[in-house]
Amino acid sequence: MLTIDQNIQYIAQKELARAIEETQAKAGTVIVQDPNTGELLAVANWPTFDPNDPGSYSDQARMDRAVTAAYEPGSVFKVITVTGAIENHAATPEDMVDCQMGSILVADV
């Protein structure tokens, strides 16, 4: 069953295009899910391509990054960790979280 919401999809695509233009990124992805059901409400990728003429686009342009790209779990899960801390009253939304410049030294490696 398709769960994409056309209004949320439109906003996701529009905001992704704006962010790509603003940052000059080579690619980007937006995924919006309903946290209660896991349903996908929007999936947007950049660059885009015309599916009626796929041969006119590079493999990179046709890549569905939302499905195929690998993401570092630490980067993606920071928000989940902080949310758990807030729900368990170990932190508040106003607390500063030190992410150690995005990396941690483990075993002198």
Side-chain angles (χ1 to χ4, degrees):
M1 174 188 295
L2 182 65
T3 58
I4 298 293
D5 179 295
Q6 72 178 31
N7 295 321
I8 297 173
Q9 180 68 34
Y10 173 78
I11 293 167
Q13 287 178 206
K14 185 177 175 180
E15 290 302 312
L16 177 57
R18 183 191 60 73
I20 292 290
E21 183 176 332
E22 184 178 299
T23 63
Q24 298 299 303
K26 293 180 182 176
T29 299
V30 172
I31 301 170
V32 181
Q33 279 187 282
D34 181 326
N36 298 309
T37 65
E39 293 174 327
L40 293 175
L41 303 177
V43 178
N45 288 293
W46 186 270
T48 61
F49 73 97
D50 180 353
N52 294 311
D53 189 19
S56 296
Y57 298 86
S58 69
D59 290 344
Q60 288 291 341
R62 293 191 320 263
M63 180 180 169
D64 185 349
R65 287 171 177 78
V67 176
T68 61
Y71 297 94
E72 183 90 20
S75 296
V76 176
F77 275 75
K78 285 180 179 130
V79 69
I80 295 169
T81 303
V82 171
T83 301
I86 291 169
E87 286 183 353
N88 288 292
H89 307 290
T92 69
E94 293 78 25
D95 287 343
M96 179 69 71
V97 177
D98 180 5
C99 295
Q100 300 183 5
M101 302 291 291
S103 65
I104 262 182
L105 182 63
V106 177
D108 296 325
V109 178

